[in-house]
Amino acid sequence: MTIQEIVQLPALEAAPRLLGQIISRITPAGEIRCRIVETESYGGAEDKGSHAYGNRRTARTEMMFRQGGIAYVYLIYGMYHCLNVVTGAEDDPQAVLIRAVEPLDTKDEQRMLALRNVPLNRRRTLCNGPGKLCLALDIDKSFNGVQLLGSGGTLRLEEASDSLEMKIECGPRINIDYAEEYAAKPWRFYIKDHPYVSAKNSNPLAYIHPLDAP
């Protein structure tokens, strides 16, 4: 499935398929490329964990109602930005939060370290969380609404050129206790045993792609 096809899916279907795909960020110091290793699904008006629960359409959530393929960037705690990929059809609020990434090579890591300095012995904390990765990629609200699939953009979503062998686990999303019965939904997806994943589940579930189910 191409990246263009993935972003047209509902968030719950797109979130696991975005694992392994590439984010490209063009900075003054050069391009940074990283692999998505953890995502969370926030999909549909019925999801009590979503900003757009109940079809709440505000200046903040408007981007979630757009056609899939753009960025939804918002601020949390008054200081950290979060990057989401809007997915699905127009007027159906769907978004996938990018929770963690890994730099593709040493050059990418060095450029990220220049933007977010961390001790050498804690490099795995460089981008293992939604706020951390936005600092390490210099992403702020100016990217809200940016088309992620366009060539030449300073923030792009790209299809991985390599075939990555990976097992996917899933579990509850993080820090959404307010979502009532939706807080326990296993809608966080990550590459099993990957060192850049932000948090491991105590009782992880193996994700089985619908096409692979018996």
Side-chain angles (χ1 to χ4, degrees):
M1 181 172 283
T2 67
I3 201 73
Q4 289 81 6
E5 292 171 328
I6 290 172
V7 299
Q8 301 311 317
L9 296 171
L12 192 55
E13 296 179 37
R17 289 177 171 86
L18 285 172
L19 295 176
Q21 309 299 342
I22 305 300
I23 292 175
S24 168
R25 170 76 173 97
I26 306 297
T27 73
E31 183 180 20
I32 300 172
R33 302 182 79 243
C34 52
R35 190 184 305 278
I36 299 171
V37 300
E38 182 181 358
T39 60
E40 283 183 346
S41 166
Y42 290 90
E46 73 282 356
D47 181 3
K48 293 182 179 179
S50 172
H51 292 166
Y53 169 58
N55 272 323
R56 186 184 301 116
R57 197 161 187 164
T58 66
R60 183 193 196 196
T61 66
E62 179 61 30
M63 291 305 167
M64 292 185 72
F65 290 85
R66 302 289 178 87
Q67 186 76 33
I70 66 170
Y72 171 41
V73 181
Y74 58 85
L75 193 67
I76 58 171
Y77 310 130
M79 59 191 303
Y80 299 116
H81 291 93
C82 292
L83 171 65
N84 297 256
V85 177
V86 175
T87 70
E90 188 174 4
D91 293 325
D92 182 11
Q94 306 274 338
V96 175
L97 173 65
I98 308 303
R99 278 203 59 90
V101 298
E102 67 162 330
L104 287 189
D105 59 29
T106 302
K107 173 193 66 178
D108 298 306
E109 182 183 59
Q110 290 300 319
R111 288 174 176 166
M112 295 173 90
L113 284 167
L115 290 164
R116 183 176 185 269
N117 188 32
V118 298
L120 294 180
N121 63 345
R122 298 188 63 197
R123 286 189 176 185
R124 290 181 181 178
T125 69
L126 174 63
C127 45
N128 66 336
K132 295 175 184 178
L133 73 88
C134 281
L135 289 170
L137 292 173
D138 195 22
I139 295 172
D140 57 24
K141 283 195 71 174
S142 68
F143 289 92
N144 191 38
V146 163
Q147 174 56 249
L148 295 173
L149 302 183
S151 62
T154 57
L155 180 63
R156 301 192 304 273
L157 183 63
E158 301 176 353
E159 193 169 335
S161 59
D162 54 343
S163 179
L164 185 68
E165 289 289 332
M166 61 181 178
K167 292 183 179 179
I168 298 174
E169 290 184 339
C170 58
R173 295 170 291 182
I174 294 175
N175 293 333
I176 60 163
D177 295 342
Y178 58 84
E180 299 177 347
E181 72 273 19
Y182 279 80
K185 299 284 188 183
W187 290 353
R188 181 169 70 99
F189 304 89
Y190 56 89
I191 298 175
K192 181 180 180 181
D193 296 327
H194 198 286
Y196 279 82
V197 169
S198 66
K200 304 295 174 64
N201 288 316
S202 56
N203 295 295
L205 301 172
Y207 172 75
I208 300 177
H209 190 285
L211 295 180
D212 298 331

